[in-house]
């Protein structure tokens, strides 16, 4: 099981989904994790309270890149409230002992649950999500520090 998860993280790191910049984006944010050096530039097109398009660029470790890739897949097409809700649940998954989310949306996100055992990597895994929160609430910059 663990190997399968690792493979998925490596795959998303090697071939990140939704990479680039959204044309005519109406929400964006830059995220920075100084502990590891991960950076992310996130652009979104939000229409009628729904995430119509989301893309990211930047550079960072395998965990941060895979997490950004998985995050964009998870929130694509979701409402802003659903995206907030996913952020909160993702955050609980990587920080709270014993928190298990077996919902359909977490079928893929669960590959990152293992970072809980490595506190230094939690910020790598949550960077994309914090950046998403900032973009959706109109803040253009976020640091995980
Ligand atoms: Zn990192």
């Amino acid at each position: 099981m663990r190997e399968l998860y690792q493979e998925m993280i490596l795959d998303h790191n090697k071939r990140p989904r939704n990479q680039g910049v959204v044309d005519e984006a109406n929400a964006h944010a830059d995220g920075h994790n100084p502990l590891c050096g991960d950076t992310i530039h996130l652009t979104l097109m939000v229409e009628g309270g729904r995430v119509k398009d989301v893309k990211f660029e930047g550079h960072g470790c395998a965990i941060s890149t895979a997490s950004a890739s998985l995050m964009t897949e998870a929130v694509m097409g979701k409402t802003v409230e659903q995206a907030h809700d996913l952020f909160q649940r993702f955050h609980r998954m990587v920080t709270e002992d014993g928190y298990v989310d077996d919902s359909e949306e977490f079928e893929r996100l669960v590959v990152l649950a293992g970072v809980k055992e490595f506190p230094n990597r939690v910020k790598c895994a949550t960077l994309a999500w914090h950046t998403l929160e900032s973009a959706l609430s109109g803040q253009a910059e976020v640091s995980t520090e």
Side-chain angles (χ1 to χ4, degrees), residues 30-40 123 127 131 141-145:
D30 288 293
H32 182 215
N33 171 21
L35 264 182
C36 179
D38 310 314
T39 62
I40 177 174
K123 286 181 178 177
L127 178 65
T131 310
E141 264 184 61
V142 63
S143 170
T144 55
E145 213 168 14

Side-chain angles (χ1 to χ4, degrees), residues 43-135:
T43 49
L44 298 105
M45 167 60 84
V46 182
E47 231 172 56
R50 202 172 274 277
V51 178
K52 292 277 181 189
D53 202 1
V54 51
K55 287 184 179 166
F56 79 99
E57 55 184 15
H59 61 264
C61 63
I63 298 284
S64 74
T65 303
S67 180
S69 174
L70 286 158
M71 181 279 285
T72 58
E73 280 195 333
V75 303
M76 188 77 78
K78 297 281 194 300
T79 67
V80 170
E81 281 101 87
Q82 285 169 329
H84 280 305
D85 180 56
L86 282 174
F87 162 74
Q88 269 152 13
R89 283 154 61 195
F90 184 84
H91 201 264
R92 289 187 69 183
M93 181 184 81
V94 295
T95 55
E96 246 176 65
D97 275 334
Y99 179 78
V100 176
D101 198 315
D102 53 10
S103 67
E104 209 178 302
E105 296 132 315
F106 270 70
E107 228 170 89
R108 283 152 184 247
L109 295 176
V110 78
V111 300
L112 289 161
V115 301
K116 191 161 48 190
E117 292 161 44
F118 309 95
N120 286 345
R121 309 320 294 273
V122 169
K123 286 181 178 177
C124 302
T126 55
L127 178 65
W129 289 93
H130 282 292
T131 310
L132 172 75
E133 280 287 289
S134 298

